[in-house]
Amino acid sequence: YRPGRASPAADPELYQRSMIQTLETAVADSLVRNAGTIGRFNVIMDCTNMSSKTSPSIAQVKLLFSVLQDHFPDRLGVLLAANLSGLTQMVMRMVLPFVTEDVRAKIHIIPNDPEERREMLLQFMEEEEVPYYLGGKDEYEFDAE
């Protein structure tokens, strides 16, 4: 997920719906890949280029975390947040107190130092799965068009 590429302020309801659809798709994909036995997913949130124009509002972030913990409680493996700006760090500090301890324990801030970043990412995924924009080998780029 790369929030710096979108503008949720343009249509907040559409933004929420698209995020929920993305979560449901991640669960369905995991179930297919694991013959119906595991429906968990991991999220990498690259916050590069996030600004007040491309960031969801605090209310939207709180709602997303609420949906995540209330409707997908055992589905989230980890949420790895990378390239956090001052704004993103402030939003995280404001929202995390409203998130359950179980969900909060699944949220990890990826260090900016390339070697520390690599070490942390390799705790959660294979090297060929680390996105190129985080120093890895996976060159997949989602194209919504």
Side-chain angles (χ1 to χ4, degrees):
Y1 170 56
R2 299 177 87 179
R5 294 180 158 200
S7 180
D11 190 339
E13 185 176 337
L14 180 62
Y15 173 75
Q16 294 294 338
R17 287 180 179 194
S18 68
M19 293 306 299
I20 292 168
Q21 174 63 33
T22 300
L23 295 173
E24 290 176 346
T25 301
V27 170
D29 181 64
S30 178
L31 288 168
V32 168
R33 290 173 188 247
N34 295 289
T37 59
I38 302 171
R40 297 183 81 171
F41 58 90
N42 297 326
V43 175
I44 297 176
M45 184 172 74
D46 177 15
C47 298
T48 300
N49 297 326
M50 275 187 76
S51 68
S52 58
K53 290 182 181 180
T54 60
S55 298
S57 69
I58 298 213
Q60 287 172 315
V61 173
K62 284 171 61 176
L63 179 60
L64 278 174
F65 276 114
S66 175
V67 166
L68 188 63
Q69 67 191 20
D70 294 345
H71 301 284
F72 298 88
D74 297 321
R75 302 297 190 180
L76 177 64
V78 293
L79 186 150
L80 305 170
N83 303 316
L84 275 75
S85 66
L87 171 68
T88 310
Q89 291 176 26
M90 181 186 71
V91 169
M92 293 288 272
R93 280 194 301 271
M94 294 175 77
V95 171
L96 287 179
F98 298 101
V99 176
T100 64
E101 177 112 11
D102 289 341
V103 172
R104 218 178 8 247
K106 297 176 181 184
I107 299 171
H108 303 275
I109 307 301
I110 299 173
N112 287 330
D113 176 74
E115 188 55 36
E116 290 177 28
R117 170 181 285 178
R118 183 180 177 281
E119 286 178 29
M120 177 179 256
L121 289 170
L122 292 178
Q123 292 176 30
F124 300 104
M125 63 190 70
E126 300 297 322
E127 189 155 11
E128 54 275 350
E129 296 172 333
V130 175
Y132 72 92
Y133 54 86
L134 294 176
K137 297 179 179 180
D138 186 357
E139 294 185 12
Y140 174 78
E141 185 77 28
F142 176 74
D143 183 3
E145 295 176 19

